[in-house]
Amino acid sequence: GNYIEVRFPDGTWTRIGNTTAGRADGNAASARFNRTEGMAVYKGEIYVADGGNGQIRKIRSEGIKDFQVTTFLGTGTCAGGGDVMTRAKANFGFPTKLTIDRNGNLYIADGGVDTVYRTSLTQNTDVTRVGRGLGSWPSSIVADGRGTVFVSGWGGKIFQIVDNNMTYFSGSVLGN
């Protein structure tokens, strides 16, 4: 969809964005997304893969039930980036899944260019390609407590990323 629903402990709800696709930073009511998919949380901030806009967006709480949306990464030009991109010029094909490791590194599975990228949330580092060749659309990405990142594709294969190097881990085809 083009919005995110938030449920509070008191049972009330709010929406960040709305049903109209678009691209706009701002408060919960004025922000716009285009086909959000993956989300990850780091130190109380939510990072969202805004696939249709080719961007990574950040949602910050501006109070108990008020949110502010900003663009964290991505020029909005949906085209796969290179091996190393500055944050200001980073572009993605269609970012879908996100995870954050114990060191504050953000991993972005980009289905549009069959690639996994990495950047730091704690330092102003470039966006670096750490893997390519999932062979299918990304279905999941997760970081374990030891610093290994696992990414799977709808085709059935699972890959691991260790020391910024993606290698085959398990699986071969759809099924169990």
Side-chain angles (χ1 to χ4, degrees):
N2 301 313
Y3 59 88
I4 297 164
E5 288 189 343
V6 180
R7 182 177 182 270
F8 298 101
D10 66 7
T12 60
W13 293 80
T14 194
R15 182 177 285 174
I16 302 171
N18 70 35
T19 57
T20 304
R23 179 174 60 203
D25 291 342
N27 65 23
S30 64
R32 297 289 179 268
F33 300 96
N34 186 358
R35 296 185 60 198
T36 59
E37 288 202 25
M39 298 187 338
V41 177
Y42 186 74
K43 293 191 175 182
E45 296 178 323
I46 304 168
Y47 294 84
V48 179
D50 190 359
N53 286 320
Q55 295 179 316
I56 307 304
R57 311 289 289 286
K58 180 167 68 171
I59 302 172
R60 228 176 359 146
S61 176
E62 291 289 319
I64 295 174
K65 294 185 180 182
D66 188 26
F67 298 92
Q68 186 69 29
V69 177
T70 57
T71 299
F72 178 70
L73 286 174
T75 62
T77 301
C78 292
D83 289 335
V84 179
M85 302 176 283
T86 64
R87 285 186 179 201
K89 295 185 179 182
N91 59 61
F92 305 98
F94 200 102
T96 60
K97 307 297 180 204
L98 305 175
T99 194
I100 301 168
D101 72 11
R102 66 182 178 186
N103 297 317
N105 294 306
L106 172 68
Y107 290 84
I108 304 156
D110 187 339
V113 291
D114 197 23
T115 294
V116 178
Y117 294 104
R118 176 182 107 18
T119 192
S120 174
L121 297 177
T122 61
Q123 302 172 28
N124 189 12
T125 59
D126 290 335
V127 179
T128 305
R129 184 190 322 261
V130 294
R132 172 179 245 167
L134 297 172
S136 65
W137 201 256
S139 60
S140 184
I141 188 168
V142 65
D144 72 8
R146 296 182 314 259
T148 302
V149 173
F150 296 92
V151 59
S152 62
W154 287 107
K157 292 183 179 179
I158 301 170
F159 297 84
Q160 66 180 356
I161 301 169
V162 177
D163 297 327
N164 295 323
N165 185 35
M166 187 171 89
T167 57
Y168 170 79
F169 179 73
S170 177
S172 59
V173 295
L174 290 173
N176 51 4

